[in-house]
């Protein structure tokens, strides 16, 4: 799916906490219905500190018509931006949708599909599972959460998949054995996955170990809170010879764009590498929160994906232009 620009007004018609720390928001769409594919996400323009910030959330397929839009948002404890702004919305509030996109479109070429969701990663998987099931494909889903009270849309998925849904609650010691799951797959199976980095990396590594076709592993990550505290930091940009402050609730990418710098970007989730910038010096260890950079690049600490990665405070010096954006290995 091509990224689509939208200028659509949506009105909140329902908002409630459906699992611990996860809020469902349902919107009525004004004017023409928007076309949203399974697994797609929609970008909202959210009021924050007197300005608008743009944040994308995966669409939940809960069987509503095309004039309604449902998302589920996990409140990030350190959030002063997107998730907190979404949680503040009340019934009757109006908000602008500015775009939709799908980095993980569903393909129908296989007969057997496995869907893996971790935590809030269930949201895009609701649409993927429903769409595949509708077309008569074999679909099994594994849903991982810390505890039952932190799992969302379990009833929805149980109604859709019945015994083909397996729940893995860490609190019950029933974590997903990713190696065993992948080892049991045949080469024609397509696996869709959305979850935290740990789960994503475990499945990617098992997939490579078993020599399964890379194109049959489709994944998307969601906001990774990193391994270091989320704090403000400053950046000196070589090209402009200016210093930019990056707020606690702001990404480096947004800080650069808002200060008038030109930076390429696409996924804003640490997956595509387009927003990569060169790091010349940093007085703290980079908190890499992407799934794009290679281990070698992380170890070299000479670049980062500006849409998600940051410093845990302090200062660094970067260059934006003249960096190759493809994978290094
Ligand atoms: S915009 Fe895709 S990795 Fe940053």
């Amino acid at each position: 799916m091509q990224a689509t620009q939208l200028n659509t007004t949506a009105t909140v018609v329902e908002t409630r906490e459906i699992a611990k720390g996860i809020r469902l928001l349902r919107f009525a769409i004004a004017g023409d219905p928007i076309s949203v594919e399974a697994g797609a996400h929609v970008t909202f323009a959210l009021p924050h500190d007197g300005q608008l910030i743009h944040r994308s959330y995966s669409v939940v397929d809960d069987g509503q018509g095309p004039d309604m839009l449902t998302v589920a948002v996990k409140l990030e404890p350190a959030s002063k931006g997107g998730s907190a702004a979404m949680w503040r919305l009340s019934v009757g509030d109006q908000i602008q949708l500015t775009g939709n996109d799908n980095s993980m479109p569903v393909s129908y070429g296989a007969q057997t599909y496995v869907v893996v969701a971790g935590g809030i990663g269930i949201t895009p998987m609701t649409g993927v599972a429903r769409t595949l099931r509708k077309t008569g494909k074999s679909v099994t889903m594994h849903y991982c959460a810390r505890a039952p009270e932190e799992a969302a849309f379990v009833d929805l998925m149980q109604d859709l998949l019945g015994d083909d849904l397996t729940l893995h609650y860490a609190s019950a010691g029933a974590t997903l054995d990713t190696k065993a799951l992948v080892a049991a797959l045949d080469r024609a199976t397509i696996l869709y996955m959305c979850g935290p980095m740990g789960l994503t990396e475990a499945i990617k590594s098992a997939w490579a170990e078993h020599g399964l076709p890379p194109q049959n592993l489709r994944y998307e990550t969601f906001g990774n809170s990193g391994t270091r505290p989320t704090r403000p930091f400053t950046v000196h940009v070589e090209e402009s010879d200016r210093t930019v402050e990056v707020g606690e609730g702001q990404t480096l990418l947004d800080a650069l764009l808002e200060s008038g710098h030109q930076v390429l970007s696409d996924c804003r989730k640490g997956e595509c590498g387009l927003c990569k910038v060169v790091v010349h010096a940093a007085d703290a260890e980079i908190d890499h929160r992407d799934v794009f950079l290679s281990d070698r690049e992380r170890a070299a600490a000479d670049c980062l994906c500006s849409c998600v990665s940051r410093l845990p405070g302090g200062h660094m010096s970067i260059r934006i232009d003249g960096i190759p954006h493809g994978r290094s290995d």
Side-chain angles (χ1 to χ4, degrees):
M1 174 183 178
Q2 293 284 320
T4 307
Q5 301 277 331
L6 296 174
N7 184 14
T8 302
T9 302
T11 304
V12 181
V13 294
E14 182 180 355
T15 172
R16 62 191 163 92
E17 195 167 351
I18 53 168
K20 189 176 169 192
I22 298 177
R23 181 166 287 273
L24 174 143
L25 293 120
R26 185 166 286 135
F27 300 87
I29 303 298
D32 294 337
I34 57 173
S35 164
V36 181
E37 292 178 355
H41 45 85
V42 168
T43 303
F44 293 77
L46 297 165
H48 173 65
D49 272 356
Q51 55 185 0
L52 290 176
I53 57 173
H54 296 263
R55 293 290 183 271
S56 297
Y57 295 97
S58 296
V59 173
V60 175
D61 185 344
D62 55 357
Q64 300 283 323
D67 54 348
M68 301 290 273
L69 179 80
T70 304
V71 297
V73 179
K74 182 172 184 185
L75 182 63
E76 299 301 337
S79 172
K80 291 185 176 173
S83 66
M86 291 293 275
W87 272 59
R88 280 195 295 272
L89 293 174
S90 306
V91 170
D93 284 349
Q94 291 198 326
I95 196 153
Q96 286 301 115
L97 310 180
T98 59
N100 71 350
D101 199 0
N102 192 355
S103 57
M104 194 174 49
V106 174
S107 68
Y108 302 96
Q111 284 308 314
T112 307
Y113 292 80
V114 174
V115 176
V116 177
I120 191 66
I122 187 68
T123 50
M125 295 297 111
T126 56
V128 171
R130 186 183 295 275
T131 299
L132 289 170
R133 194 36 82 93
K134 258 193 220 160
T135 54
K137 305 293 185 183
S138 162
V139 185
T140 54
M141 175 185 273
H142 295 267
Y143 182 23
C144 311
R146 274 196 290 252
E149 61 272 22
E150 296 186 37
F153 304 115
V154 171
D155 290 347
L156 185 72
M157 289 296 96
Q158 253 158 0
D159 288 348
L160 179 72
L161 298 170
D163 292 342
D164 291 326
L165 171 69
T166 305
L167 300 168
H168 302 270
Y169 295 131
S171 61
T175 51
L176 174 62
D177 184 341
T178 51
K179 286 190 174 179
L181 171 73
V182 172
L185 301 181
D186 66 40
R187 295 181 59 78
T189 298
I190 292 179
L191 189 149
Y192 283 95
M193 161 174 71
C194 183
M197 278 180 74
L199 179 63
T200 305
E201 292 299 329
I203 290 185
K204 279 169 65 182
S205 141
W207 199 267
E209 198 174 302
H210 284 276
L212 295 175
Q215 67 274 19
N216 286 356
L217 178 60
R218 320 274 171 90
Y219 61 90
E220 182 175 75
T221 56
F222 55 77
N224 164 31
S225 54
T227 57
R228 312 292 303 278
T230 299
R231 295 197 181 116
F233 60 103
T234 55
V235 176
H236 177 261
V237 182
E238 187 180 281
E239 290 93 330
S240 63
D241 193 23
R242 286 169 53 204
T243 296
V244 175
E245 294 185 5
V246 185
E248 191 175 321
Q250 192 178 32
T251 65
L252 170 56
L253 174 64
D254 281 339
L256 291 170
L257 293 174
E258 285 163 21
S259 58
H261 293 88
Q262 302 283 319
V263 190
L264 291 174
S265 67
D266 183 14
C267 71
R268 287 178 167 261
K269 293 179 175 183
E271 293 171 1
C272 72
L274 268 185
C275 64
K276 192 161 76 166
V277 298
V278 175
V279 177
H280 278 153
D283 60 13
E285 190 181 335
I286 298 170
D287 190 5
H288 289 290
R289 301 181 176 189
D290 65 284
V291 290
F292 178 81
L293 296 185
S294 66
D295 291 344
R296 188 195 59 72
E297 286 174 306
R298 285 163 195 261
D302 57 3
C303 62
L304 60 72
C305 289
S306 61
C307 66
V308 288
S309 300
R310 55 193 299 126
L311 282 191
H315 179 79
M316 69 178 169
S317 175
I318 66 166
R319 178 165 52 80
I320 297 171
D321 293 331
I323 184 169
H325 291 284
R327 288 191 189 277
S328 71
D329 49 25

